[in-house]
Amino acid sequence: MAARRRVTPAVASAEEQRAWLEALSNAEPIAGVPGPGQWLVLQYQPTTLFSLKISLATSSVGKTLVVPTPYSIKMAFVDAAFRADLTDNEVSDFFQSLVGIDVRIAPPPDSVVTHTFVKIRQESRGGNILRPYISSIAYREVVHQRGRYLWAFDLSKGDTTLAERLVRIGPHVSYIGKRGSFIQFSNLERRAALGPDFTQPIRTKESWTVAERAHVVPLDDFGPEADLEILSSFSKKGAVRDKHRCFIETVVPVGVINTGPGFTQYGS
């Protein structure tokens, strides 16, 4: 059997792109998932507390988001790709295929953020070699979420190889955000359109609507020149904003419904 040639948007002809969009618009399965729909939606159940500091947070004041970011979701899939037995070259190729893909998140309908101060050990600024670490306190937030996550990948800018890898890798994703924020894969489907229960990036050339309860926060994503070697946690190279990593003001469809001295509750 002849090897199947991969067609990516960067090299695909207009006819091939039309054929791919047509395939997404009908009921025939893509990577085993029946349609129609360009959105591949994966469902996850939170099983532990969630935490993911906003990018402007300091090490001492760890204010958290209530949803994972497109960047963290893509990196979670790249991390899981190694456990799904993809080769290094395949993982690198998978990473590049995610760069231009839009990811939307539907958060659980009910989230409670716990505000806590914890005792920590941090490096001493005095340079005392006998006491390299000193006792201090830090502000931390964790989120208890009731319900499910829905993560939607826009396949219209991808191809069959990307779809197959997302379906294959999805069940291997076991945590998102800070280590210990465990989740469990439960289902996947395709949708033709997404409702207001999904996040919406605020872009000048696109329309967006605000849900009944919502808040706006910058969420990070891969930049146009994102590179696995640069964005790796073990890399000594620095990522450049708007080049390797970008931040997009995003409507998150949950808003504050209750607050107190030690908590904030978000609901849809």
Side-chain angles (χ1 to χ4, degrees):
M1 180 181 294
R4 180 179 58 183
R5 181 170 64 89
R6 178 178 179 183
V7 177
T8 63
V11 299
S13 67
E15 181 179 351
E16 289 169 330
Q17 290 183 38
R18 284 195 298 269
W20 174 241
L21 293 177
E22 183 179 349
L24 292 173
S25 66
N26 63 47
E28 291 299 317
I30 299 288
V33 185
Q38 70 184 58
W39 293 95
L40 178 64
V41 181
L42 297 98
Q43 179 177 315
Y44 292 89
Q45 186 77 26
T47 58
T48 59
L49 299 177
F50 169 77
S51 180
L52 179 61
K53 291 196 299 183
I54 62 175
S55 298
L56 298 178
T58 65
S59 59
S60 298
V61 183
K63 186 172 177 62
T64 186
L65 297 164
V66 295
V67 294
T69 67
Y71 178 94
S72 66
I73 290 174
K74 291 179 181 180
M75 291 301 282
F77 269 77
V78 172
D79 174 69
F82 289 101
R83 297 194 299 277
D85 294 330
L86 270 69
T87 66
D88 289 353
N89 288 336
E90 288 175 331
V91 172
S92 180
D93 181 65
F94 175 57
F95 178 96
Q96 290 302 320
S97 69
L98 290 172
V99 171
I101 300 300
D102 193 9
V103 176
R104 308 286 179 89
I105 305 105
D110 190 31
S111 300
V112 177
V113 179
T114 301
H115 311 157
T116 58
F117 285 92
V118 296
K119 297 185 74 172
I120 63 171
R121 302 286 290 179
Q122 66 180 25
E123 290 186 73
S124 171
R125 296 182 180 180
N128 187 343
I129 61 173
L130 298 179
R131 294 189 62 195
Y133 294 95
I134 61 173
S135 178
S136 184
I137 61 171
Y139 176 73
R140 295 287 184 264
E141 291 184 348
V142 293
V143 190
H144 175 270
Q145 296 175 313
R146 181 174 57 84
R148 62 180 184 177
Y149 279 123
L150 294 177
W151 299 348
F153 291 79
D154 186 0
L155 298 178
S156 65
K157 296 181 180 178
D159 55 22
T160 54
T161 301
L162 173 62
E164 290 168 355
R165 285 174 173 170
L166 288 171
V167 170
R168 174 182 173 184
I169 295 169
H172 292 269
V173 176
S174 58
Y175 78 91
I176 186 69
K178 194 173 183 179
R179 282 191 181 274
S181 299
F182 294 113
I183 55 176
Q184 183 175 10
F185 170 82
S186 57
N187 195 18
L188 55 79
E189 61 180 327
R190 280 169 55 204
R191 296 188 185 184
L194 302 178
D197 54 328
F198 282 83
T199 55
Q200 300 174 74
I202 301 176
R203 300 189 178 105
T204 55
K205 296 182 179 180
E206 297 182 13
S207 61
W208 50 276
T209 57
V210 178
E212 182 179 353
R213 289 192 177 94
H215 66 284
V216 177
V217 65
L219 301 183
D220 58 345
D221 198 351
F222 286 0
E225 299 180 35
D227 182 86
L228 180 58
E229 183 180 354
I230 293 176
L231 294 179
S232 169
S233 301
F234 303 99
S235 175
K236 295 182 180 180
K237 300 179 180 179
V240 178
R241 182 166 182 160
D242 296 328
K243 185 177 180 181
H244 304 113
R245 191 173 181 177
C246 61
F247 295 83
I248 303 171
E249 293 292 328
T250 304
V251 178
V252 178
V254 289
V256 176
I257 60 175
N258 197 7
T259 186
F263 75 96
T264 301
Q265 182 181 5
Y266 291 82
S268 56

